[in-house]
Structures are given as structure tokens and as C-alpha cells.
Amino acid sequence: MMTAGFTAWAAEDVIKIGVIGPMNFVQGKGHWGGAVMAMEEVNAKGGVQVGDKKMKIELIKADSNEFLSITDATNAMELLLTRNKADFVVGGFRTEAVLAMQDVAMDNKKIFVGCGAAHPELCTRVAKDYDRYKYFFRGTPFNSMFLVKTCFIQMATVAGILKKVLNIPKIKVAIVAEKQVWADPMVAATQQTLPKLGMEEAGVWRPSQTATDVTAELSAIESSGAHVIFTMFSASVGITFARQAGELKIPAAQVGINVEAQKEGFWDATQGMGNYVMTMNTYARDVEANDLTKPFVHGYIERYGEVPTYTADTYTVILHSIVPAIEKAGSLDSDKVVQAMEEGVPHKTPSGVADYLKDEQDRPLHDLRWGPGFLTSLGVQWQDGKLVGVWPNKWKPAEGVPEVTYKGMVPYKIAPWIVKKYKK
């Protein structure tokens, strides 16, 4: 289903931006929420300067239904571009659907900025066939290779704290991933990486993504002697696991990806048993990567009552990438705007500095650069009912380089029952 919104100007003075995503889910709601904030901010300032005239932004909401049907997703993209005449498109979440929607956008030579899917292939296509795929850019998050790398750094950070504070000579890690395909390569990568980090594998557990009882897994993890539980949860099992681990006081620190723990409702959903759970995230209350972070995060909380999810970076894409590129190009012509977007980096965004990578053959990827000084994401931890930022906090990426800390970071806390078990 597609709905047009915010039409109030003459057609020739309107820039149409399609916002596509799973609109009945939190990911799509983030897409729409961020885009609305960007539209209102731009229009309140008089619109976009395109050549010698001002143009307003109009958003078009498109429900991709991509969790259930890739065909629905491609149909929604087709309608956005052919019936609704969208000039630009932002959004998308599920990689399989975004790959298909990408081809529809490329057929129509329209700029599509991905705001959800992390698979590297989306941008590898740009390098391999630039003339066809140059209209695709990654807007958020950085690709899955960098996501995994960040998770490993955060796991090593927690392991280092446990080792130092509790005087544990060698950290044992339980790998716990929901039984979904996306987690398979991450499990394998974790098994390969642990020895390189000086840690030992305690075992691998793969509960269902909708499991409502994981006490058997938790008992086995406790028996394994694991000090750290590296989680890979995108679904409701993240709540079940955290709640039961807290009830049983399993003496192992949870770190990794737990999408449910990124949400404001996690505390109530776990009845407070999710205390001390840590997960990767993009935003947190009172954490500022730079001076753009606070206005966006607080504005989003004020409007929607919750911290923005990373898909709400449609705000960032429209406000800090598409609009400046249109103004620089002085046109809505896709080829001219592509060139302006490529020339418009690096630029500051609420979550860091955006820049685009090139491949080993120096071909444009339109993929986001990861690392200190650019985009890093956050590590956040539940501490007594509040989701606080704990990483990067005096993170030293390499010898001889400055530490990285964002304003508002607080120290990581070890659960008291872990301290009680290991503190000598």
C-alpha cells in the first residue's frame, strides 16, 4: 500500500522523495519518522534551492512488506517510481529485498539510498557495473564486515575489563546465535577470531529466534564456565534470553547484537532482568558523536517518545546528503546529483562523519567508511533502567593513535553476581 503525504505546493515546485520500508514494523517506522523530521526541517527553512528557485520536499510512504514478500517490495518500488514519480528513494531493510528493489531503481535511473541492509554486495555492484548501479548509495548502517569487526572489538573490550577486574587469566566465550541464516557466517567468523583475540570458545548454542524458554541453553552455558556470552539476536529470543539469564544470575557478561535490547521497551519486557546486557547500537540518550547528534536524538525522542533506531537515519540521508547534492547540482537530474553526492563527502552527520570507500581497484563503491574519525556505531549497556553509552570510551584503535571517546560515555559495569563469583 502506498500513501502520499504532505502535498501543499505546485507540482513543479515539489521534490518527491519515496520512503520505502516494512511500515508495520519498527524498522519501517524508523524510516518514516526520520524522513518526516528531515522534510519538516528543510521545508521550514523555505525548501531546497534548485537553480534559481526554491522547491519543497514531499514524502511518499511505500510499504515494502519485504519481510513477507520480495515481490511486494519490488512492486512497491515500481509504483513509487512510475506512478508516484518519485525523484529519489530512501529506505529498504532486508538484504534480499533491497537487492531486488535496487535493480528496479537502477532500471529507472533513480537514486536509491539504502537505509537498513548491510550486505556488501549492494555496493560491490556499484564498482563492478558503475554505469548501471551508480545511482545506489549506502546510507546506513556500514556494511556487515564492519559490523562484525565492531562487535569483536566490543567483545574484546568487555573481556579485557573482566580479565583485569576479576583477574581471570583466560576468557571463555559462549557463542549464542538465533537459528537464522544471517547468523551462520558470524558464528563461523567468531570461532575463527576468538583464538586470535586470546580467548577460548566455550561452545555454540543456536536457539530458535522465537524461543520462549532457553533455560536448557543457559544451564549448559553456565556449566561450560563461560565468562562472556557473545549474542547474535535480531528477534524476540533476545528478550527471553536476557530475562532468563537475569533470573538465573548466569555469571557471564552478555555482549554482541541484541536488537530487542536496543529498544526502549526492553527494560519492561525483561522485567528489569535485562540489567547489564550490552549490545551494539547507533544512538543513545545523552551520547554525542558531534554537535549534530543531540538535536537529532532529542528531537526524535520529543516527537516519537523513543531513541531513534538506525533506520531513522533517513533523516541524515535526506538532510545531509541528498539536499546538499541537489543544491550543488542545481538540478534533480540523477547523473548530476550522483556526481554531487560523490563530491560531497566527507561530511558530518549525527552519528559521525560519512565518507565513501573505493575498492582495491580504486573503483567507487558508494559504501560507507568505518573507523575512528568516521562512523563507528556505539556499544550501549542497560544500567539500572537506563540504556547508556559505554563504547567507544577511551578506545585505542591502534598503537600511536589518539583514543576515541564520545561525549556522554560512562564506564561499563560488571553485573554484581559475576563479580561475586570471580572476585578473589
Side-chain angles (χ1 to χ4, degrees):
M1 187 176 72
M2 200 172 294
T3 54
F6 305 99
T7 51
W9 305 282
E12 64 271 20
D13 294 331
V14 168
I15 300 170
K16 294 184 177 182
I17 298 180
V19 184
I20 194 165
M23 293 299 172
N24 291 320
F25 296 85
V26 65
Q27 295 87 352
K29 291 174 181 173
H31 286 138
W32 184 247
V36 168
M37 285 181 61
M39 177 199 69
E40 292 182 348
E41 194 168 325
V42 171
N43 289 348
K45 292 178 180 176
V48 184
Q49 187 70 45
V50 187
D52 59 359
K53 69 176 179 179
K54 285 278 191 180
M55 299 181 74
K56 304 288 186 180
I57 290 177
E58 174 186 313
L59 298 181
I60 307 166
K61 180 190 283 188
D63 185 358
S64 60
N65 194 33
E66 61 196 75
F67 288 137
L68 303 177
S69 169
I70 293 175
T71 301
D72 285 357
T74 54
N75 287 343
M77 177 65 88
E78 189 76 42
L79 290 172
L80 261 184
L81 298 174
T82 58
R83 187 174 71 184
N84 296 95
K85 307 294 183 186
D87 299 297
F88 304 90
V89 180
V90 299
F93 183 78
R94 182 184 170 199
T95 293
E96 295 92 330
V98 176
L99 283 165
M101 291 191 287
Q102 184 187 43
D103 274 320
V104 177
M106 300 307 105
D107 288 343
N108 288 274
K109 299 186 184 302
K110 291 296 181 184
I111 292 174
F112 174 28
V113 184
C115 298
H119 201 289
E121 178 63 18
L122 289 161
C123 291
T124 302
R125 285 177 163 187
V126 178
K128 288 180 177 176
D129 190 352
Y130 180 80
D131 286 343
R132 172 170 171 75
Y133 288 100
K134 62 183 175 183
Y135 307 105
F136 181 83
F137 291 79
R138 193 187 300 281
T140 185
F142 40 73
N143 72 47
S144 55
M145 294 186 295
F146 294 135
L147 288 173
V148 171
K149 184 174 183 176
T150 307
C151 284
F152 289 159
I153 292 171
Q154 294 180 2
M155 174 175 64
T157 299
V158 171
I161 293 170
L162 295 180
K163 197 170 182 178
K164 180 179 179 181
V165 174
L166 303 178
N167 195 29
I168 298 171
K170 189 158 190 171
I171 297 292
K172 295 178 70 174
V173 179
I175 303 169
V176 186
E178 62 188 23
K179 201 169 182 57
Q180 288 289 295
V181 173
W182 73 270
D184 294 347
M186 285 191 67
V187 171
T190 307
Q191 290 178 299
Q192 293 172 4
T193 302
L194 286 177
K196 298 174 186 174
L197 296 174
M199 291 184 268
E200 180 182 341
E201 178 187 323
V204 178
W205 286 266
R206 302 294 302 270
S208 161
Q209 63 172 346
T210 55
T212 55
D213 185 354
V214 292
T215 52
E217 286 89 345
L218 287 166
S219 295
I221 290 168
E222 183 170 13
S223 298
S224 75
H227 309 99
V228 169
I229 302 173
F230 188 58
T231 59
M232 300 166 216
F233 297 141
S234 70
S236 60
V237 67
I239 292 175
T240 303
F241 190 90
R243 188 185 69 246
Q244 294 187 326
E247 290 170 346
L248 296 168
K249 299 288 187 288
I250 301 298
Q254 295 175 54
V255 59
I257 296 175
N258 186 337
V259 172
E260 291 293 339
Q262 298 171 351
K263 302 175 185 176
E264 296 276 326
F266 179 75
W267 186 259
D268 290 338
T270 62
Q271 299 173 336
M273 293 295 109
N275 210 5
Y276 307 107
V277 167
M278 180 174 166
T279 181
M280 188 177 175
N281 207 356
T282 301
Y283 296 108
R285 289 176 188 262
D286 304 321
V287 172
E288 299 176 41
N290 55 52
D291 61 321
L292 298 180
T293 315
K294 185 175 179 179
F296 170 54
V297 173
H298 283 213
Y300 197 95
I301 293 171
E302 186 175 336
R303 178 163 188 141
Y304 300 109
E306 59 186 7
V307 174
T309 60
Y310 77 91
T311 58
D313 265 346
T314 47
Y315 170 88
T316 294
V317 167
I318 294 171
L319 195 66
H320 298 290
S321 184
I322 292 176
V323 167
I326 292 171
E327 293 188 328
K328 181 176 182 180
S331 167
L332 304 186
D333 178 81
S334 293
D335 289 284
K336 292 179 180 178
V337 177
V338 165
Q339 182 179 348
M341 287 177 71
E342 291 177 342
E343 294 172 352
V345 288
H347 64 253
K348 195 161 59 175
T349 77
S351 60
V353 173
D355 194 14
Y356 296 131
L357 296 167
K358 292 186 176 180
D359 72 356
E360 64 281 358
Q361 299 177 44
D362 204 35
R363 299 179 298 187
L365 282 164
H366 294 177
D367 205 351
L368 292 168
R369 186 179 299 281
W370 174 91
F374 295 95
L375 302 170
T376 63
S377 80
L378 306 177
V380 296
Q381 185 187 26
W382 282 96
Q383 294 184 1
D384 303 324
K386 293 182 179 179
L387 189 59
V388 298
V390 295
W391 185 93
N393 190 1
K394 298 182 180 178
W395 171 44
K396 199 167 179 59
E399 289 298 325
V401 301
E403 291 180 341
V404 180
T405 300
Y406 297 149
K407 184 179 178 182
M409 285 287 160
V410 301
Y412 174 84
K413 282 187 178 180
I414 306 173
W417 53 90
I418 301 176
V419 175
K420 182 179 179 182
K421 179 174 177 66
Y422 291 105
K423 186 75 172 180
K424 299 290 192 288

